[in-house]
Amino acid sequence: MKKAFFFVAFLTVFSSISISQKYNSELLKSYSKSEVQSFDTQTLNALEYGIEHAIYFIATPKEKQVGFPTFNNPKLLTKYTDLGLKITNENQYFEIKESNQLMVVKSLFVLKNELLNKNKN
């Protein structure tokens, strides 16, 4: 009886571990474990894709002198997770201190579309 109980307990634990969602631990720099586990597969894939593809830099448009949040020198860090940022439903813009550039963090919508189009090719 004890063997049967331990066998069932082992199978339960093993199956719950194998069913649980796998994710890039880099996401834990920006999200809590429970947040990561709550994401659906499409969102999780987009956030993982975004680790390497969410950030780009542009010249600050002269007509757009708006007070965006500022970072000192994020060019050394090219991952949104290194900056502790979360991907949102809108693109995010940050001024680069003592430069003429903006750092853009793509939205979840953009990342999902890029990933979808990438997978089509």
Side-chain angles (χ1 to χ4, degrees):
M1 183 72 172
K2 284 185 180 180
K3 287 183 181 180
F5 173 77
F6 285 115
F7 181 73
V8 171
F10 173 77
L11 285 178
T12 303
V13 169
F14 181 75
S15 64
S16 68
I17 290 171
S18 65
I19 291 173
S20 67
Q21 209 170 25
K22 304 245 188 291
Y23 57 86
N24 187 325
S25 62
E26 182 79 19
L27 292 173
L28 296 175
K29 292 180 180 179
S30 292
Y31 301 96
S32 70
K33 188 174 184 177
S34 62
E35 284 176 309
V36 172
Q37 292 173 337
S38 72
F39 295 134
D40 60 67
T41 303
Q42 185 183 27
T43 299
L44 188 61
N45 289 341
L47 294 174
E48 288 178 335
Y49 170 77
I51 291 170
E52 298 296 331
H53 301 94
I55 290 180
Y56 65 96
F57 297 89
I58 61 171
T60 304
K62 289 182 172 56
E63 65 277 359
K64 296 229 178 190
Q65 298 298 328
V66 184
F68 293 117
T70 304
F71 275 106
N72 285 332
N73 190 6
K75 283 192 171 187
L76 301 174
L77 308 169
T78 57
K79 300 176 183 176
Y80 73 93
T81 53
D82 287 338
L83 300 168
L85 298 173
K86 292 184 179 190
I87 300 296
T88 64
N89 291 327
E90 297 178 357
N91 287 345
Q92 300 172 70
Y93 300 88
F94 300 91
E95 290 183 48
I96 308 304
K97 193 173 187 175
E98 299 177 11
S99 99
N100 249 6
Q101 290 196 315
L102 291 177
M103 179 181 74
V104 182
V105 181
K106 298 174 187 175
S107 69
L108 186 58
F109 176 79
V110 170
L111 292 171
K112 283 181 178 180
N113 277 334
E114 283 183 6
L115 193 54
L116 181 67
N117 289 329
K118 177 183 169 206
N119 290 337
K120 284 182 181 179
N121 295 332

